[in-house]
Amino acid sequence: MQKLRNILIQTTLLCMIGCNSEPPTIDDLGLVPLPASISINKGQTLINSQWAVTQNNGHKDLNSLKIMLSENLYSDYGLSVSDFSRKTINLNVIEDNTFYGEEGYHLTISNKTIQINAGTPNGIFYGIQTFRQLLDSGKKSSEGIQINRIVIKDNPRFQWRGMHLDVGRHFFDIEFVKRYIDYIAMHKMNIFHWHLTEDQGWRVEIDAYPKLTSISAFRDESLIGHYTDKPHQYDGKRYGGYYTKEEMREVVAYAQKRYVTVVPEIEMPGHTRAVLAAYPELSCTGGPHTVAKYWGVHKEVFCAGKESTFEFLETVLTEVADIFPGPYIHIGGDECSKDRWEEHDLDQERIKANGLHDEHELQSYFIKRIEGVLNNLGKRLIGWDEILEGGLAPRAIVQSWRGMEGGIAAANAGHEVIMSPTSHAYFDYYQSEDIKNEPLAIGGFLSLEKVYNFEPIPDNIEPSKKEFILGGQGNLWTEYIKTPEKAEYMVLPRMSAMAEVLWSLKKDRDFDSFTHRMNWQYKRLDRMKVNYRTPE
């Protein structure tokens, strides 16, 4: 007998005694991530081209969603639905959204009506994703697709459900970036963290500083093999690229239609060799510097003792804020070497003039000044957990990656936190311990099951501070990922596991159920021609 799932399942007695076949189980529906509440009722509904997609008002988002759903029904299932019919798929935004929450929805499938209700267009979009998954697992014939009559009431557990993509080490064109956003959206995730700058390449067009794209966006050559291979070898090929402002705005608009917020990351005060190659006067030594051609942590950082550094960054961030309308800008803040600051007179003078104790507090001073810039631009600052060192900026959001401890400390201090520890969220790690049969990766081992067992709210956090955990995020660093195909291989299906962690109720998660339901997810990925990794 199949293991009992910890989820609400209501199957009517009439169906159980009157149907010739066994009633479907939750696993048979193939839903990923798992909804909060599912009631399976008697009978099935035939979906074919005799149906119409309708909306309850003239809301522009609803009209766009109606068009998107109609196009999906045709492209994926060959169903040419109309605007008028007795059988309707109704998209309804209810003005009083307290019943549904900001992203929740109710999906009801009956004989002649499919109702998707939500308090916001976001919720309607997520309800559509669930409806499409039900069509995938439905019984197909020449007459159409039979799906179960069902009631689903759903709401995400966490508000931050993110995926990260590093384009600084290796550059990916906007067509793949859009495809990546499609993967995020189909999983009901809502954050795309776009890591745009690195020691090895700057990817953002900035009008005020044209050398960022003519010089900082390109490196002379790239490392061959793994960083630990000695001596280092290089390919001798100039490499790079950048996004124009028009391209980045195109990505933002594409994401907005899928209810995904784009969070740009502009690294500082470390991971900045690419910038300093173009503008060496912003460094402690004055250069010359080159765009880095090998991975790892580099000593060259922005000089915190020069006012010109902050003038440069304010100008850059002002242009970035204009491109990205979302409420957040990520400034990195991780792995900042303090060597140059220790050796440089201006940085030591800054420490003395501001009553700071050491270079860690100098980094805190740096981050707090940048937070002031971002607040004036109407943005919230996000940084990796190193921004805790020396004192945290007042309104900063901490992204905890070096384990959970940084996130716990930040939450206990009353700061909002995104959990993405290397132990469960780094998708550049190997997916098998048998690395000879896996493509080259940075190291480590992160299985699908371990991702699925991730719990963003740790047990040892103060109970009253749990509300500060916004959610979590999967990260894809690309030192060893050069192509879209390899990026897909490293991300999927681990993204599916992370999506369920962040959307579904903790008590309902069951890895056996997940692996069964993923059989339908793999079919969807096949239809999309995704180069995912097939689990053992």
Side-chain angles (χ1 to χ4, degrees):
M1 181 177 290
Q2 187 179 24
K3 183 178 179 181
L4 180 64
R5 312 297 176 206
N6 292 323
I7 189 170
L8 174 62
I9 308 175
Q10 299 173 347
T11 306
T12 63
L13 182 61
L14 282 174
C15 182
M16 293 178 67
I17 63 176
C19 298
N20 293 326
S21 58
E22 289 292 324
T25 69
I26 295 301
D27 291 355
D28 296 329
L29 300 177
L31 300 176
V32 178
L34 188 67
S37 170
I38 302 174
S39 302
I40 303 175
N41 299 319
K42 176 185 176 181
Q44 293 190 319
T45 296
L46 181 66
I47 309 297
N48 53 29
S49 295
Q50 296 176 15
W51 288 69
V53 180
T54 62
Q55 62 192 79
N56 71 326
N57 60 41
H59 194 293
K60 65 178 180 64
D61 277 16
L62 270 188
N63 190 55
S64 297
L65 289 167
K66 171 185 169 182
I67 293 170
M68 181 181 291
L69 175 56
S70 298
E71 291 175 348
N72 292 151
L73 290 172
Y74 181 74
S75 62
D76 294 345
Y77 314 106
L79 302 177
S80 299
V81 295
S82 64
D83 291 332
F84 303 99
S85 176
R86 292 182 179 180
K87 298 180 179 181
T88 57
I89 305 168
N90 295 316
L91 310 180
N92 299 290
V93 170
I94 311 300
E95 294 301 327
D96 181 10
N97 69 354
T98 56
F99 190 64
Y100 302 98
E102 287 300 316
E103 297 180 290
Y105 66 91
H106 289 182
L107 169 62
T108 303
I109 298 173
S110 56
N111 185 26
K112 294 184 179 181
T113 303
I114 295 169
Q115 197 83 8
I116 302 177
N117 292 343
T120 62
N122 311 40
I124 297 292
F125 180 80
Y126 298 134
I128 288 173
Q129 304 316 304
T130 299
F131 174 54
R132 292 176 63 192
Q133 290 188 353
L134 292 172
L135 289 171
D136 286 336
S137 59
K139 184 178 180 181
K140 298 169 181 63
S141 70
S142 59
E143 295 180 351
I145 305 174
Q146 282 191 332
I147 59 176
N148 294 285
R149 294 177 189 170
I150 197 168
V151 177
I152 292 176
K153 299 178 180 180
D154 203 7
N155 219 316
R157 182 184 177 200
F158 291 104
Q159 68 182 77
W160 189 285
R161 307 181 304 279
M163 279 299 304
H164 156 286
L165 178 65
D166 165 27
V167 297
R169 275 52 175 259
H170 283 101
F171 180 75
F172 296 87
D173 64 29
I174 64 165
E175 292 310 310
F176 177 71
V177 171
K178 289 178 182 178
R179 191 167 169 87
Y180 199 80
I181 290 170
D182 286 338
Y183 304 149
I184 292 171
M186 70 180 282
H187 285 92
K188 300 188 178 79
M189 301 175 97
N190 62 357
I191 297 292
F192 172 45
H193 177 174
W194 204 1
H195 186 88
L196 288 161
T197 71
E198 258 304 335
D199 292 304
Q200 294 82 16
W202 176 281
R203 308 299 180 210
V204 185
E205 182 181 44
I206 300 295
D207 294 336
Y209 298 104
K211 287 193 288 186
L212 289 173
T213 47
S214 64
I215 296 175
S216 301
F218 299 89
R219 57 180 179 259
D220 291 337
E221 55 186 354
S222 302
L223 187 70
I224 296 174
H226 200 276
Y227 178 80
T228 56
D229 298 338
K230 299 294 175 68
H232 289 158
Q233 297 184 41
Y234 300 93
D235 61 11
K237 300 176 182 178
R238 188 170 184 261
Y239 179 89
Y242 65 91
Y243 305 103
T244 66
K245 286 189 172 183
E246 182 181 359
E247 287 175 323
M248 288 182 285
R249 290 191 174 103
E250 184 179 335
V251 167
V252 168
Y254 189 87
Q256 286 174 333
K257 290 181 179 179
R258 290 149 182 82
Y259 302 94
V260 173
T261 298
V262 181
V263 179
E265 180 175 353
I266 308 298
E267 277 274 13
M268 64 187 78
H271 288 288
T272 53
R273 257 190 64 175
V275 175
L276 302 178
Y279 298 97
E281 64 273 16
L282 301 177
S283 70
C284 298
T285 66
H289 304 296
T290 58
V291 179
K293 61 184 182 179
Y294 59 93
W295 326 126
V297 178
H298 297 263
K299 286 186 178 182
E300 305 307 330
V301 300
F302 281 128
C303 179
K306 296 178 179 177
E307 282 302 302
S308 57
T309 295
F310 297 99
E311 293 167 3
F312 169 87
L313 290 171
E314 182 171 3
T315 300
V316 167
L317 291 172
T318 299
E319 291 197 32
V320 169
D322 182 62
I323 299 167
F324 298 95
Y328 312 104
I329 291 181
H330 204 301
I331 55 83
D334 61 308
E335 298 178 325
C336 178
S337 171
K338 309 299 191 296
D339 293 3
R340 297 302 187 213
W341 290 352
E342 292 172 356
E343 301 164 354
H344 192 221
D345 290 344
L346 289 179
D347 293 294
Q348 294 303 308
E349 290 173 12
R350 180 80 78 185
I351 290 173
K352 183 177 179 180
N354 288 274
L356 308 176
H357 290 93
D358 55 25
E359 288 73 25
H360 292 295
E361 289 194 7
L362 180 59
Q363 175 164 324
S364 177
Y365 165 88
F366 191 109
I367 300 299
K368 288 175 181 177
R369 281 196 64 171
I370 294 301
E371 183 184 48
V373 171
L374 292 179
N375 289 346
N376 289 336
L377 294 169
K379 306 292 185 182
R380 293 282 304 279
L381 179 148
I382 305 174
W384 302 104
D385 56 59
E386 283 95 332
I387 68 172
L388 286 161
E389 298 167 3
L392 191 54
R395 297 181 64 242
I397 299 171
V398 173
Q399 186 162 5
S400 191
W401 74 279
R402 298 177 300 175
M404 306 283 275
E405 291 74 19
I408 294 169
N412 285 341
H415 286 266
E416 292 178 324
V417 172
I418 303 155
M419 289 293 193
S420 56
T422 57
S423 58
H424 293 81
Y426 271 49
F427 295 170
D428 54 333
Y429 284 15
Y430 285 105
Q431 300 182 72
S432 169
E433 293 180 290
D434 181 16
I435 64 173
K436 292 181 179 179
N437 292 315
E438 292 289 330
L440 182 66
I442 196 168
F445 167 52
L446 179 56
S447 68
L448 181 65
E449 184 171 8
K450 189 169 184 180
V451 176
Y452 192 81
N453 290 330
F454 175 43
E455 173 46 47
I457 299 180
D459 292 334
N460 54 340
I461 195 172
E462 295 176 19
S464 63
K465 304 298 185 180
K466 291 181 180 179
E467 64 184 39
F468 290 107
I469 307 298
L470 298 180
Q473 180 176 295
N475 298 329
L476 188 68
W477 302 99
T478 63
E479 287 94 334
Y480 302 97
I481 301 172
K482 301 179 181 180
T483 65
E485 292 76 18
K486 188 171 181 180
E488 291 174 343
Y489 180 89
M490 299 300 287
V491 164
L492 292 159
R494 291 187 286 192
M495 184 191 293
S496 300
M498 181 62 74
E500 185 144 311
V501 165
L502 300 175
W503 181 280
S504 305
L505 296 173
K506 179 182 179 181
K507 68 180 182 63
D508 293 337
R509 296 210 314 265
D510 180 286
F511 188 66
D512 289 340
S513 167
F514 172 75
T515 54
H516 187 96
R517 287 180 280 114
M518 280 298 294
N519 289 325
W520 291 107
Q521 191 79 333
Y522 298 133
K523 293 179 181 180
R524 294 178 195 115
L525 297 175
D526 287 337
R527 182 176 65 215
M528 298 170 69
K529 296 180 171 56
V530 179
N531 185 46
Y532 64 91
R533 181 182 186 274
T534 304
E536 294 84 355

